Amino acid sequence: AQGGTATGLGDMSANARYMLVGNGLRGASVGADVRFPTGRAEDLLGAGQATGRFLGIGSWEEGHLAVNVNGGFGVGGLSREVFWGAATTLSPNSR
C-alpha cells in the first residue's frame, strides 16, 4: 500500500462561447476550452500538457419543452477525443 498528499495549484483553464444565431430560447453557438499545464504532473495536480476542446452547441426551447445538443473534439494532452451529448427537459411549468 502507498499513500501521499499534494497541495498546490492545478491546471488552469479558460473557455469562451459565442452565439452565432438565435436568442435566449433557441440558437446555435460555438465554443472552445483551453487547459494550461500549470499544475505539477509529478504530484498529480495536472496533466503536464496543454489541451484544447472545440465544440458546437444547439438549443431549442418552446413552452414546457427544451432540447439541447452539443458535440466536438479535443486535441493535445494525453489523448484525442470526440464527444457528443443531448438532453431533453420537460417542465410542468413554463418558467
Side-chain angles (χ1 to χ4, degrees), residues 23-62:
N23 57 32
L25 297 176
R26 55 187 66 94
S29 302
V30 293
D33 301 326
V34 178
R35 179 168 290 177
F36 303 99
T38 55
R40 286 181 40 90
E42 296 83 9
D43 294 332
L44 301 177
L45 294 174
Q49 296 179 354
T51 61
R53 291 179 69 188
F54 306 94
L55 62 150
I57 307 161
S59 295
W60 178 83
E61 186 173 333
E62 187 71 39

Side-chain angles (χ1 to χ4, degrees), residues 10-32:
D11 285 352
M12 302 284 284
S13 66
N15 63 64
R17 306 287 186 265
Y18 181 76
M19 182 179 280
L20 297 173
V21 295
N23 57 32
L25 297 176
R26 55 187 66 94
S29 302
V30 293

